[in-house]
Amino acid sequence: MTNAAVSDVPMVHADRVSKSFGSNEVLKSISLTVTQGEVMCLVGPSGSGKSTFLRCINHLERVDAGRLSVDGILVGYEERGDKLYELKPREAARQRRDIGMVFQRFNLFPHMTALENIIEAPIRVNKLKKEAAIAHGKELLARVGLADKEDAYPAHLSGGQQQRVAIARALAMEPKLMLFDEPTSALDPELVGEVLDVMKGLADSGMTMIVVTHEMGFAREVADQLVFMDGGVVVESGDPDEVLGNPQHQRTKAFLSKVL
Amino acid sequence: MSDSGRSATPVSVSPNGADQAEAIKAIRLRHPWRNVVAVILVAMLVLFVVDASQREAYGWENFGKFIFDKRISQAAGYTLLLTVYSMIIAIILGVTLAVMRLSDNPVVKGIAWLYLWVFRGTPVYVQLVFWGLFATIYSTIDIGVPFTEPWLSVETNDLINVFWLAVIGLALNESAYMAEIVRAGILSVDKGQDEAATALGMSWLQTMTRVVIPQAMRIIIPPTGNEVISMLKTTSLVTAIPFSLELYGRSRDISVVIFDPIPLLLVASAWYLLFTSILMVGQYFLEKRFSRGVGQARPEKTGTETGVITLKTGAIQTPDAASGTDDPSTDPTGKEHQ
């Protein structure tokens, strides 16, 4: 929270953002603000547009209407005069470097060891020296509790271990913002805790995070802001205890009665 | 044969199982017709071999004389060179075409499709005849601005000989097939891999060379091995160019001189068989190597090694995780590096 005072510019600002796939309108005029150092949890039934919103922030999908900006910079487009220009791939890639993303299916590179997964982008993209990248990578592996797994291939790691490596890989780029797309949904129940613990530690360290999740306990404990989405719209948002404990909207009540 | 093994089990493994049922000891089902067919086939094979060894037309004397002839072994060398050079060019071109076909640019995509349509849609023999006529069609190769006086004009025949025409002819045909193999390999890589690399800020080229292609190799290697074997045999068609210093062309030239074609066909066949056999063995090991790690067993989940981690200190608080000796998955990892 103290970090919010550093800058007035919100880390993520969405102003009436819409997105359609063909005739299917997935996001309908979403307006949200995530301040620096804040943890926002996005919850809602599947197909509600949570993941699409997350992917828009990271340029993996293009916004159709409205304005979406990260750290004050417009996502996907450049505004010159009164015209919008599509970003070149190279410029989009540059913006992505500051945004870490963790996927539901981990998406580790299976032909690389845990350490190689982590140092790949710092070396190739940030042109970091190999020794420096390795030192940083080992540090990150220790931070996620996998110091002894640097030479393990993803296939030899449990799901929870793979997801922790994936978090370390995203952190290796030293992002300003971390996006988590249902990071524990593909895990066996007994492995969920280890990943959430790492995420809690990350939140405590002041990282700005947007987390799409079904883990209501985590949302209640860690989130500064909880947003409930359904059918491509923000139904309700606010303090997690408030939204979870005393939902105002009928749809929120219906959803929470199923998951809690 | 398994009967004897089974009958032994009730005796050896029954420490407390007094009521264990006796192993089944049945008369095996006979297959009389199977035996009859087998005998007939073997008899026919023996008959054929014995007959062939004595038959005059096979000219075994000449076979023995020419099988290790220097001209033949040199021709075998040319066959290998044709195979290797044309496969290398075909693979490079094939990767390019595959990437073009997966491009978002409709023109690039269309051009690649057109190439495949032409080169897969016409016989390789016909294509090779065309390449043989290349110098007739294009007598000079000009470099310059179209419809103006060329800066540089070279006689085609000075620039290129029949050997390289043969290589180009084989390579361009083969690249169309390689393109499809590579494309299948690239498409087999999970979309999430591409997204993960992109999300890390990697460029398209970095994503391709570092993430996608290495994983696609597992799918690409086995059919490429098949293509090499196929190419080795297809080189016999370069006589259409006409290039005749390779195995088939050379043995045919010799047979014309000695008026005895059959033993030299056998000589050529024997060499082709030798090479394809070596390639088949090589492919077996290559496939074994690349299929390794596909069905890798995941380690037993312990669920106990989770540490509560505080990012500020970097300390792992669970004692057994800190000791680093708890996890069984260190074993398979060790094996990986053998």
Side-chain angles (χ1 to χ4, degrees):
Chain A
M1 289 296 95
T2 49
N3 286 20
V6 174
S7 166
D8 301 339
V9 180
M11 185 54 83
V12 176
H13 183 70
D15 179 23
R16 290 164 294 151
V17 166
S18 295
K19 169 76 189 171
S20 303
F21 292 112
S23 59
N24 182 18
E25 199 175 11
V26 186
L27 297 177
K28 296 168 190 159
S29 201
I30 301 281
S31 292
L32 287 173
T33 302
V34 183
T35 55
Q36 302 212 5
E38 192 181 21
V39 177
M40 185 178 87
C41 280
L42 276 174
V43 300
S46 56
S48 59
K50 315 174 299 266
S51 292
T52 305
F53 181 66
L54 214 58
R55 293 164 61 82
C56 284
I57 296 174
N58 206 10
H59 309 66
L60 288 173
E61 307 288 353
R62 193 156 268 167
V63 171
D64 293 337
R67 292 284 189 277
L68 180 61
S69 61
V70 173
D71 207 14
I73 299 165
L74 201 60
V75 169
Y77 302 93
E78 195 183 350
E79 201 160 21
R80 271 179 276 156
D82 56 351
K83 285 204 173 72
L84 281 184
Y85 296 87
E86 283 185 4
L87 277 191
K88 293 196 183 104
R90 185 199 297 250
E91 285 156 3
R94 190 176 303 137
Q95 290 191 5
R96 282 195 195 99
R97 284 183 214 171
D98 293 335
I99 305 169
M101 183 144 186
V102 175
F103 300 88
Q104 182 178 355
R105 302 276 343 158
F106 330 134
N107 294 351
L108 287 179
F109 307 135
H111 58 301
M112 298 182 190
T113 64
L115 186 63
E116 284 166 356
N117 262 282
I118 294 170
I119 64 175
E120 179 67 21
I123 291 175
R124 305 277 155 190
V125 180
N126 286 354
K127 309 291 178 206
L128 206 62
K129 282 249 166 30
K130 196 171 180 194
E131 299 77 49
I134 288 174
H136 189 210
K138 286 184 174 176
E139 207 175 289
L140 286 167
L141 272 176
R143 272 169 67 172
V144 298
L146 293 170
D148 56 333
K149 290 282 184 281
E150 58 179 73
D151 291 328
Y153 284 89
H156 292 142
L157 297 172
S158 73
Q161 291 171 332
Q162 287 190 55
Q163 194 60 296
R164 285 189 279 158
V165 173
I167 293 172
R169 179 175 70 174
L171 289 175
M173 294 297 282
E174 304 192 309
K176 297 187 282 197
L177 167 69
M178 283 286 281
L179 309 174
F180 293 86
D181 189 4
E182 303 197 22
T184 58
S185 295
L187 296 176
D188 291 338
E190 80 270 23
L191 301 176
V192 168
E194 62 188 76
V195 172
L196 292 182
D197 286 342
V198 168
M199 291 167 62
K200 272 178 213 159
L202 199 55
D204 289 342
S205 75
M207 177 65 77
T208 313
M209 292 161 63
I210 302 181
V211 186
V212 172
T213 188
H214 295 296
E215 297 291 332
M216 295 304 158
F218 173 83
R220 192 191 288 265
E221 191 182 338
V222 180
D224 300 305
Q225 190 188 170
L226 188 115
V227 173
F228 173 72
M229 280 176 75
D230 190 9
V233 296
V234 174
V235 177
E236 204 165 327
S237 69
D239 181 74
D241 285 325
E242 195 66 22
V243 176
L244 293 175
N246 185 21
Q248 299 300 308
H249 206 282
Q250 199 53 47
R251 279 196 276 181
T252 319
K253 282 178 192 162
F255 175 72
L256 291 178
S257 71
K258 279 181 219 149
V259 295
L260 286 179
Chain B
M1 50 182 181
S2 57
D3 289 6
S4 58
R6 275 185 206 154
S7 63
T9 42
V11 187
S12 60
V13 206
S14 54
N16 55 350
D19 59 343
Q20 191 167 0
E22 198 186 327
I24 291 170
K25 211 172 174 183
I27 308 294
R28 283 181 68 186
L29 183 62
R30 304 282 171 199
H31 299 280
W33 288 108
R34 223 187 254 179
N35 298 339
V36 170
V37 170
V39 166
I40 291 174
L41 284 175
V42 170
M44 281 166 69
L45 185 68
V46 168
L47 214 63
F48 175 78
V49 170
V50 169
D51 172 80
S53 66
Q54 288 162 357
R55 200 167 276 268
E56 200 74 5
Y58 283 116
W60 292 111
E61 204 175 298
N62 272 336
F63 177 86
K65 201 161 119 196
F66 286 103
I67 183 80
F68 297 123
D69 188 285
K70 191 141 185 264
R71 286 170 292 176
I72 292 291
S73 51
Q74 267 173 356
Y78 269 113
T79 292
L80 284 183
L81 277 184
L82 281 171
T83 308
V84 171
Y85 287 155
S86 51
M87 275 315 290
I88 289 171
I89 297 172
I91 288 169
I92 293 167
L93 255 177
V95 172
T96 313
L97 284 165
V99 170
M100 283 170 75
R101 280 207 70 182
L102 295 169
S103 159
D104 289 332
N105 183 335
V107 175
V108 169
K109 211 175 182 166
I111 298 276
W113 181 87
L114 195 72
Y115 182 97
L116 261 63
W117 180 63
V118 170
F119 281 90
R120 288 203 305 175
T122 56
V124 62
Y125 189 85
V126 174
Q127 288 173 29
L128 288 169
V129 174
F130 261 111
W131 284 105
L133 296 169
F134 186 73
T136 313
I137 305 169
Y138 305 98
S139 57
T140 60
I141 292 173
D142 302 339
I143 297 171
V145 181
F147 310 115
T148 61
E149 198 62 25
W151 306 330
L152 187 69
S153 183
V154 194
E155 288 283 328
T156 305
N157 280 326
D158 296 343
L159 199 69
I160 201 158
N161 60 26
V162 280
F163 175 78
W164 286 105
L165 278 176
V167 168
I168 290 170
L170 290 172
L172 291 195
N173 177 260
E174 180 60 31
S175 65
Y177 294 92
M178 282 308 302
E180 289 299 272
I181 291 171
V182 173
R183 191 170 73 109
I186 290 174
L187 288 177
S188 76
V189 178
D190 181 30
K191 189 89 178 56
Q193 293 289 310
D194 193 87
E195 282 187 354
T198 308
L200 284 166
M202 291 170 79
S203 69
W204 177 85
L205 194 68
Q206 285 170 334
T207 303
M208 224 46 193
T209 54
R210 298 292 303 171
V211 177
V212 177
I213 297 278
Q215 292 181 61
M217 286 312 274
R218 203 166 57 204
I219 305 295
I220 293 171
I221 293 273
T224 304
N226 277 335
E227 292 299 308
V228 174
I229 290 172
S230 163
M231 175 61 88
L232 187 93
K233 295 174 290 175
T234 309
T235 56
S236 63
L237 296 180
V238 297
T239 173
I241 292 267
F243 176 81
S244 59
L245 290 177
E246 45 67 61
L247 208 41
Y248 173 67
R250 205 66 208 264
S251 53
R252 209 184 44 166
D253 285 352
I254 296 172
S255 70
V256 169
V257 175
I258 64 168
F259 299 111
D260 198 1
I262 295 164
L264 279 142
L265 281 177
L266 291 172
V267 165
S269 302
W271 278 92
Y272 283 123
L273 263 177
L274 173 74
F275 287 150
T276 49
S277 307
I278 293 169
L279 287 173
M280 280 160 90
V281 172
Q283 193 187 2
Y284 169 78
F285 285 107
L286 212 61
E287 272 181 38
K288 217 168 125 179
R289 189 189 148 75
F290 274 87
S291 62
R292 200 182 53 174
V294 177
Q296 275 166 331
R298 283 167 66 184
E300 301 89 319
K301 295 180 187 103
T302 53
T304 55
E305 92 271 41
T306 320
V308 177
I309 300 128
T310 52
L311 283 164
K312 284 157 199 155
T313 59
I316 302 155
Q317 290 176 350
T318 332
D320 63 354
S323 69
T325 55
D326 59 308
D327 202 313
S329 66
T330 41
D331 275 340
T333 333
K335 275 179 204 144
E336 185 74 30
H337 291 289
Q338 277 175 6

